Amino acid sequence: MDIRTFDSAEAVAAAVARRVAEALVTTPTLVLGLPSGRTPVAAYAELRRLHAAGGADFARATAFALDEFVGISSVHPGSFRTFMERHLFQGVNLPASRVHFLDGAAGDLETECERYETTIDAAGGIDLLLLGIGANGHIGFNEPGDALVARTHRVTLAATTRRDNAALFGGDPRAMPREALSMGMGSILKATSIVLVATGARKARGVERAVHGPLTTRLPASLLQLHRRVELYLDRAAAGRLHTWRVEGPGGFDDTTCA
Ligand code: GLP
């Protein structure tokens, strides 16, 4: 894993946005996989800013959202579709026909998951997949458990995840959907390049286990160790439990070793 640590969450966001903008220059037809959550919000804002300044052209790109809640319409204010539209898609020039979402209100959710897998394959697979990490080590909505699922599938959300996402539903975990649709671990690991973004001390333990821990379904992010091209973009707090890390970017620091 290629670990890039920055002095602040703002510096992480700027670097992640630059990473995407550069990938768009190298591959204008880039197929992106994109997460929701608080972590990527600043990077999405920076991408909108770069786009407005002529520095990020999405005209020929394609995007797939990583996951979606079950049982709410795509226009529900708490849906990940609403979230992605607001934070990214409304502010960049991705053609609507090439922006893909899971439909958590579909009548037949199994067919909906298969449709998504087929659509990703038809787009040629995901070139660059951005990921956040749940405080419990989940990626997408692949929750810790005895087993993980390879393909896009329906999941029951962990209680901690429902608490963590409750802000989207007026702060009330009971108002949160109990289930979601998510790309599976296989869908994720098939991406050509993966960029995992984590900021804040709450993520430090999960990041530590993802990097240094054993591969385990109890920490889905640990399976990223199986992938050849994973980059971690971390701030100091999220990197705080790693064995060694180095802060880069403006005002960079020397190598730092921690416990
Ligand atoms: C959500 C999403 C994940 C996201 C994670 C972390 O549940 N399904 O894709 O990475 O939680 O969210 P946050 O960035 O708000 O901590």
Side-chain angles (χ1 to χ4, degrees), residues 38-225:
R38 286 168 292 265
T39 310
V41 166
Y44 292 159
E46 180 62 12
L47 271 174
R48 295 197 316 264
R49 195 194 62 74
L50 280 177
H51 171 68
D57 184 6
F58 292 81
R60 297 172 61 200
T62 298
F64 288 89
L66 195 61
D67 44 21
E68 182 56 281
F69 294 114
V70 161
I72 57 170
S73 99
S74 57
V75 295
H76 187 288
S79 79
F80 280 169
R81 179 172 186 147
T82 301
F83 178 96
M84 290 303 302
E85 297 280 7
R86 180 183 328 132
H87 289 290
L88 185 63
F89 299 139
Q90 283 173 3
V92 298
N93 62 334
L94 259 160
S97 60
R98 288 208 297 277
V99 177
H100 301 280
F101 297 97
L102 281 154
D103 179 4
D108 180 343
L109 293 171
E110 257 177 52
T111 305
E112 172 61 6
C113 291
E114 271 313 301
R115 179 195 67 81
Y116 214 56
E117 288 283 330
T118 309
T119 313
I120 294 171
D121 286 347
I126 294 172
D127 298 314
L128 178 59
L129 176 61
L130 300 192
L131 292 175
I133 179 170
N136 65 359
H138 77 211
I139 45 179
F141 272 135
N142 294 277
E143 298 282 24
D146 291 338
L148 290 168
V149 178
R151 294 171 75 79
T152 299
H153 61 292
R154 183 176 184 168
V155 289
T156 300
L157 298 175
T160 50
T161 300
R162 292 179 59 221
R163 269 201 306 279
D164 287 351
N165 283 274
L168 292 168
F169 295 85
D172 179 3
R174 286 165 308 179
M176 269 278 300
R178 292 176 178 275
E179 293 181 301
L181 304 181
S182 177
M183 284 187 202
M185 290 306 304
S187 335
I188 288 170
L189 291 171
K190 272 197 292 188
T192 307
S193 295
I194 295 177
V195 167
L196 183 139
V197 190
T199 53
R202 266 185 79 240
K203 303 293 173 72
R205 180 81 178 118
V207 168
E208 177 193 22
R209 291 179 66 202
V211 173
H212 299 303
L215 297 186
T216 170
T217 59
R218 298 275 162 202
L219 194 99
S222 68
L223 272 73
L224 295 177
Q225 292 175 34

